[in-house]
Amino acid sequence: IERMLANLQTLLRAVAADPGIRLEDISLLDEAERRRVTETFNATTVDYGPDVCVHKLVEEQTAATPDAVAVEFGDDALSYFELNRRANILAARLQELGAAPGTIIAISCERSLELPVAALAVLKSGACYVPVDPNYPAERIAAMLDDSGALIALTQTGIDLPAHNATVIELENFTFDGAVQNPVSSVTPKDPLYCIYTSGSTGVPKGVQLSHAGLGNLLRWQQKHDRLGKPAKTLQFASFSFDVSFQELFSTWSTGGTVVMVDEELRQDLPRLATFIASRGIQRLYLPYAALQPIAETLVSTGAEPALQDIVVAGEALQVGPAVR
């Protein structure tokens, strides 16, 4: 009320000083409040250091904790050293085939250990990757490959891509032998690291690119967060065609945690997934509310004692009922 009375006084002074003033030219804020609203309230700039290429954060963590587990899938796992080594070898091959800043590489894989290796390798090569869900309709896949002009397609045996001009590498048949040196490229933080295609509900699907600097800024913020900056065993839940998956992967790897992959069948069976979360000691989840609610209900009804520490929910309104609480 006091603030509103002060606004009214400011208005009346302006009218008294200039009776012919137009209403749209009258300010309700005096100079002190204007500065508070436009400057003080908005003084939220934080320096997270110079812009960085995302794969450099993974390389830094690899140097710090080479023997820590970077990714698990079923009974298989890769250490940070092995993840980085495989990505280096694949990146070198991609560069031999022409991968560089400005080129597009499609990744069309089922959920597996090959998927995160491929994503990291594309970044190391300097190129930008387009996630192509092999379960998409053939017309959509063909349109994405054609529109993106993908130079290379990283895929798996058994995945039948429609006609395209990209060079195909089947990851199960790729030989991961060679040196462990991190490849060199001319990529900069301003260059794109991935391209996500819209649903196309309003017309033709459009590819939207994000720069290394954009994702890198988010990762730097998370590294400094008092909770999310700690290493955690993180479930890789989001579809690879949804950008939350990149936060799951790279925020975990830039803080020394472990990414836990699951197959598509388990991912879609939320009660089973809840049991998996408890039995495998998952500590961090990134979930839409629609997935959180049934998982919470299962954990509560079964009396499970999960190791969960952080749940990041986005995309829709969070309803905090008894099970979620």
Side-chain angles (χ1 to χ4, degrees):
I1 294 299
E2 289 175 353
R3 190 184 80 246
M4 293 175 69
L5 286 173
N7 294 157
L8 178 60
Q9 289 180 344
T10 301
L11 182 150
L12 293 175
R13 289 193 186 99
V15 172
D18 182 5
I21 193 171
R22 294 173 60 86
L23 288 176
E24 66 180 2
D25 296 330
I26 299 176
S27 173
L28 297 180
L29 308 182
D30 61 23
E31 185 58 26
E33 188 171 4
R34 188 198 65 78
R35 283 198 304 271
R36 183 164 64 252
V37 171
T38 61
E39 298 175 16
T40 305
F41 288 171
N42 287 303
T44 57
T45 300
V46 178
D47 183 8
Y48 291 116
D51 290 338
V52 65
C53 288
V54 169
H55 57 282
K56 293 297 183 183
L57 297 177
V58 183
E59 291 171 357
E60 291 173 5
Q61 188 61 48
T62 298
T65 59
D67 298 325
V69 178
V71 57
E72 295 179 356
F73 182 71
D75 295 328
D76 298 320
L78 298 176
S79 66
Y80 274 83
F81 176 86
E82 184 62 16
L83 170 69
N84 194 62
R85 187 188 74 84
R86 293 191 184 195
N88 286 348
I89 296 167
L90 180 55
R93 177 56 181 155
L94 297 178
Q95 289 178 332
E96 291 174 358
L97 294 172
T103 59
I104 299 289
I105 296 177
I107 301 178
S108 186
C109 296
E110 301 291 352
R111 301 172 72 85
S112 60
L113 283 182
E114 285 89 6
L115 194 57
V117 170
L120 181 56
V122 173
L123 269 58
K124 285 172 170 281
S125 75
C128 167
Y129 66 81
V130 174
V132 179
D133 191 326
N135 298 310
Y136 278 160
E139 294 87 355
R140 178 174 171 83
I141 294 177
M144 292 170 66
L145 294 174
D146 178 66
D147 182 70
S148 66
L151 176 71
I152 303 165
L154 301 176
T155 185
Q156 296 163 319
T157 56
I159 294 178
D160 186 20
L161 296 177
H164 57 85
N165 297 319
T167 300
V168 174
I169 296 178
E170 293 180 343
L171 293 172
E172 304 103 313
N173 299 324
F174 185 80
T175 303
F176 288 99
D177 292 335
V180 298
Q181 186 174 359
N182 294 322
V184 176
S185 76
S186 59
V187 67
T188 72
K190 294 182 179 179
D191 291 314
L193 77 159
Y194 65 75
C195 177
I196 297 290
Y197 273 80
T198 62
S199 64
S201 58
T202 59
V204 179
K206 304 169 187 65
V208 181
Q209 296 182 342
L210 184 78
S211 69
H212 278 266
L215 182 57
N217 192 58
L218 173 64
L219 300 182
R220 283 276 183 80
W221 166 81
Q222 192 156 332
Q223 285 179 322
K224 293 178 180 293
H225 193 278
D226 59 352
R227 292 182 61 90
L228 299 180
K230 297 176 182 178
K233 204 169 187 179
T234 304
L235 181 71
Q236 202 283 290
F237 175 82
S239 165
F240 192 57
S241 296
F242 183 40
D243 56 4
V244 173
S245 66
F246 316 136
Q247 185 179 13
E248 290 171 334
L249 293 174
F250 294 108
S251 70
T252 304
W253 290 338
S254 63
T255 54
T258 300
V259 173
V260 181
M261 307 281 296
V262 292
D263 62 32
E264 191 62 26
E265 182 181 0
L266 178 57
R267 175 178 174 271
Q268 294 191 22
D269 188 339
L270 296 181
R272 278 186 59 215
L273 185 61
T275 301
F276 177 89
I277 288 169
S279 65
R280 293 296 288 266
I282 301 298
Q283 298 167 306
R284 184 170 297 154
L285 297 174
Y286 295 82
L287 293 174
Y289 171 74
L292 173 62
Q293 178 66 28
I295 287 175
E297 289 173 353
T298 299
L299 291 173
V300 171
S301 65
T302 59
E305 296 184 2
L308 288 172
Q309 298 173 355
D310 308 295
I311 303 176
V312 183
V313 187
E316 55 192 307
L318 172 63
Q319 300 177 43
V320 185
V324 170
R325 190 182 305 280

